[in-house]
Each structure stands twice: as C-alpha cells, then as structure tokens.
Amino acid sequence: MNIYCIHERLDKYENRMLNIQRQLCEIEDEYNLSWVDSFPAKDFNHGCYTPFNNLHLSRNKAEKSCFWKHYDALKRISNSDTHGLVLEDDAAFKSSIVRDCKTLLNALDGEENYYINIEYCSYDVPIWYLNKTLVKMKGTKRAAGYLVSPLAAKKLCDVIEGYLARQEAFNYPADAFVTSCWEQAELNIFWSVKPLVWQGSKTGRFESDLSLRKSTKHFLVNEFV
C-alpha cells in the first residue's frame, strides 16, 4: 500500500508527524510512506505571483497550501501504476487500516475509476446502508483520508490543470473541490460505511490553523466510536 501523507514541515507540526509515525509502526501490513510537504504555506503570501497563489482565491494561506499538497499527492498517484492512500498529518487510525483498505478495494470488483472516502463524519452514510461495505455517493466529506486510483487521480488533476491552463480562478478547499467537480471529471465516488480515519484537528487531538479549533484533552472520546 502506497501512503501519501500531507504535511506542513514546520516545528509546530512535528507532533503530527510523530503521531503518524507512531501509528504506522503498529501496522503489520506492508506499506510505503511518502511525505507530501510541497507548496509550503509561506509561499502563499501577497508578494508571490505564481499561478498556484493567484488563481486560488482563498485568503487563508494554510488552505491554499493544503489544496496544492493534495494536488501533488494526486499527481504522484496518477503517474504511478497503483492506487494510493492519502492521509492528512492529523489523521488518527487503527493498526488495521491497510488491511481494511484492501477489503474496500476488493469490494470494487475490478473498478478502475474510484475515489473512496474513508474518513468519519458526523453526517455519515445513511443508516439503511449499514449492512454494506461501500456506498456510491455524489461527492465526498472531508479529505483527511481517502483511497484513489491512478485513473481517478488523473481526472482530478486534469480539472485542476484546466484551471491553470485557462488562468481561471477558483476557491475550493481540497474536499469541496472533489464534491464540486466529481460529475465533470466523471468520477465514481464511494464512501466506506465503516470509517477508517478520524481527523485529529476535528476531534480535538490537534489544534487547527484552518478551522481555528483548539486541542482538547478529551479527543479520545471523539475517535474510534
């Protein structure tokens, strides 16, 4: 399993990197880890006139940086010959994550164009789907954890590169972008009925520069439930 971890390489985020490494050490299955630390937030200031900065209209440097890091991860997967598991650096997951991801992939029955959201969300899949493994949906939830095929990754990159080629401005965070363009890109979007990832900046494990949430000692109450 190829794992791509979105990470802002700053001292204040080192605890996130260490937490990812600690969790991965508990995994018995084989995996390859790549840190995606391109497009640092410091590059998205008012004096930076690159297309990546000018065409993404968010005023939040962290949001811009996060979006383009996800683009980089998708680009790497699109140029590979196998699916990728993309995690943000605040992800919390169990030691069975690789094995559970393989179960999801087996359920696709040969499908080559897929984006599978594996993250927990409070507005999760409807209760009448609880007897299923995967549910086909219109759009995604968040972007802290997902499986994507090379074909689907290329389709998403093509949409982004179309914006760049046309010099067309846009203003999407990473997750809202997928929800906005899945139909245009002709993606098959699935949600895992069983959540495999919890986002630490939402549960309170870490504070967040995007949502301005503070960390809390009670984060375990919100994870793995």
Side-chain angles (χ1 to χ4, degrees), residues 142 201-204 206-215:
R142 298 172 181 163
S201 59
K202 299 291 194 298
T203 64
F206 303 108
E207 62 181 31
S208 171
D209 286 345
L210 290 177
S211 64
L212 303 181
R213 287 184 175 92
K214 300 298 183 182
S215 60

Side-chain angles (χ1 to χ4, degrees), residues 132-196:
K132 298 184 179 295
T133 301
L134 288 172
V135 179
K136 197 168 186 180
M137 303 293 280
K138 298 178 180 180
T140 185
K141 297 180 288 186
R142 298 172 181 163
Y146 56 90
L147 283 163
V148 63
S149 67
L151 177 58
K154 182 180 185 304
K155 287 173 175 285
L156 289 169
C157 288
D158 285 348
V159 173
I160 297 171
E161 289 162 7
Y163 283 118
L164 294 174
R166 296 188 302 272
Q167 297 186 15
E168 181 180 341
F170 60 94
N171 188 7
Y172 298 116
D175 50 359
F177 165 71
V178 177
T179 298
S180 173
C181 80
W182 72 272
E183 200 166 16
Q184 172 190 353
E186 299 181 330
L187 293 182
N188 293 315
I189 303 286
F190 299 91
W191 291 8
S192 171
V193 175
K194 172 186 174 182
L196 306 184

Side-chain angles (χ1 to χ4, degrees), residues 46-152:
H46 294 301
C48 178
Y49 299 107
T50 66
F52 307 108
N53 192 28
N54 292 345
L55 296 179
H56 195 295
L57 299 181
S58 173
R59 296 182 179 181
N60 189 314
K61 294 190 297 182
E63 184 172 277
K64 288 188 178 188
S65 172
C66 183
F67 178 90
W68 290 111
K69 283 179 169 69
H70 278 277
Y71 165 73
D72 187 8
L74 291 168
K75 192 68 176 177
R76 298 187 199 187
I77 295 168
S78 72
N79 290 328
S80 74
D81 59 357
T82 188
H83 55 265
L85 168 59
V86 180
L87 299 172
E88 292 186 343
D89 61 4
D90 59 346
F93 49 87
K94 297 181 179 179
S95 60
S96 61
I97 186 171
V98 171
R99 186 165 62 253
D100 291 338
C101 284
K102 290 179 180 178
T103 298
L104 296 178
L105 294 171
N106 289 336
L108 288 173
D109 194 26
E111 174 62 62
E112 295 184 356
N113 173 24
Y114 58 83
Y115 179 110
I116 308 174
N117 190 296
I118 63 173
E119 182 183 355
Y120 173 81
C121 187
S122 58
Y123 51 93
D124 228 317
V125 294
I127 193 170
W128 50 87
Y129 289 123
L130 291 181
N131 64 328
K132 298 184 179 295
T133 301
L134 288 172
V135 179
K136 197 168 186 180
M137 303 293 280
K138 298 178 180 180
T140 185
K141 297 180 288 186
R142 298 172 181 163
Y146 56 90
L147 283 163
V148 63
S149 67
L151 177 58

Side-chain angles (χ1 to χ4, degrees), residues 28-48:
E28 296 181 357
D29 307 271
E30 290 187 9
Y31 66 87
N32 297 303
L33 173 65
S34 298
W35 293 100
V36 183
D37 55 5
S38 50
F39 298 102
K42 66 178 178 62
D43 288 352
F44 294 94
N45 54 51
H46 294 301
C48 178

